[in-house]
Amino acid sequence: MQIGDYYSNPRNDVLTLLRHTRADRILEIGGGDFPTLIETRSRIGGEVWGVDIRASATPLDRMIVGSVTSDAVRDQLSTAKFDVIIANDVVEHVEDTEGFFAVLSERLAEGGEILISVPNIRNVKLLYHVFLKGRFPREEAGLFDRTHLRWFCRKDVEMLSAGAGLRVADHRYSGRLVGDGALSRFKPMEFVALQNLFRLVRA
């Protein structure tokens, strides 16, 4: 994935997990220019809110600038509830991981769903770099993005979700070697997948 892709292209791989056919309100966290949020609205309608550390020129019903775990952003979200919450490639950039999942849980409407993608560190590329080359890679984007604060396996996200009163209702792997068919649910794909995709609901 090129750096610009984070901001300009909708995450259609993630949207394969979407189950809502209509929504009153949708939130995307860390959406850049929010192409995934706009694509979601085109499919199921609804008011669209965005949270990001930088302002976006994309027309939204509500744009909040800042870190989603900060008191200022949480105050601006106030008591708003969302039928669909989207957070792609965000949690690895957040200092307060548990706080991040707590915000997702707090803002989720009854019967709502959360769609998230998380880079998959349980990938053979890690073995190659660490055990064969003897170093942990730092790259401009992707799995070893130098701006990542933490790295996660599938089980880490499952545990963090459970701690916030959420459960995994659906999961798929994503990446060039995985494709978008039946292999995306095949457990051994974890070792070549670049992303874990989750659909979370209330436990």
Side-chain angles (χ1 to χ4, degrees):
M1 180 180 290
Q2 300 299 312
I3 296 173
D5 291 347
Y6 285 120
Y7 301 102
S8 59
N9 295 328
R11 288 292 303 275
N12 290 312
D13 57 340
V14 175
L15 292 179
T16 62
L17 298 174
L18 182 66
R19 291 295 173 268
H20 273 65
T21 57
R22 65 171 302 278
D24 291 326
R25 187 180 292 149
I26 308 164
L27 169 68
E28 184 172 13
I29 300 166
D33 290 329
F34 298 97
T36 303
L37 180 60
I38 299 306
E39 174 63 23
T40 305
R41 179 176 63 184
S42 76
R43 298 185 186 193
I44 63 174
E47 186 178 299
V48 289
W49 291 36
V51 174
D52 202 296
I53 58 173
R54 66 183 184 93
S56 171
T58 302
L60 304 175
D61 293 296
R62 180 83 182 271
M63 177 71 212
I64 300 173
V65 178
S67 172
V68 72
T69 57
S70 70
D71 290 339
V73 169
R74 292 175 87 156
D75 286 346
Q76 290 183 74
L77 288 171
S78 186
T79 58
K81 297 287 186 177
F82 300 88
D83 300 302
V84 179
I85 300 175
I86 303 166
N88 296 321
D89 303 318
V90 175
V91 66
E92 65 272 15
H93 296 279
V94 175
E95 291 185 12
D96 183 2
T97 307
E98 287 77 11
F100 173 79
F101 279 89
V103 171
L104 297 182
S105 183
E106 290 166 4
R107 299 279 62 84
L108 188 64
E110 189 68 29
E113 60 184 326
I114 301 164
L115 308 181
I116 64 171
S117 69
V118 183
N120 172 41
I121 198 61
R122 198 180 188 193
N123 184 292
V124 292
K125 286 185 176 182
L126 179 67
L127 300 178
Y128 169 75
H129 286 289
V130 173
F131 290 100
L132 295 181
K133 299 189 75 173
R135 68 178 185 85
F136 194 95
R138 294 286 190 273
E139 299 174 352
E140 292 304 315
L143 183 57
F144 303 111
D145 188 322
R146 65 179 67 251
T147 65
H148 290 180
L149 301 179
R150 293 177 176 81
W151 285 265
F152 301 91
C153 298
R154 176 179 177 175
K155 288 184 179 179
D156 295 316
V157 177
E158 292 172 349
M159 292 172 62
L160 286 161
S161 299
L166 302 167
R167 66 177 177 85
V168 176
D170 199 356
H171 169 271
R172 296 182 188 180
Y173 299 109
S174 181
R176 288 186 298 275
L177 298 178
V178 177
D180 56 5
L183 285 178
S184 67
R185 299 181 183 276
F186 189 42
K187 179 67 174 177
M189 289 294 103
E190 186 165 8
F191 299 107
V192 296
L194 297 177
Q195 298 265 331
N196 279 298
L197 313 181
F198 299 89
R199 176 176 176 263
L200 308 178
V201 298
R202 290 203 182 281

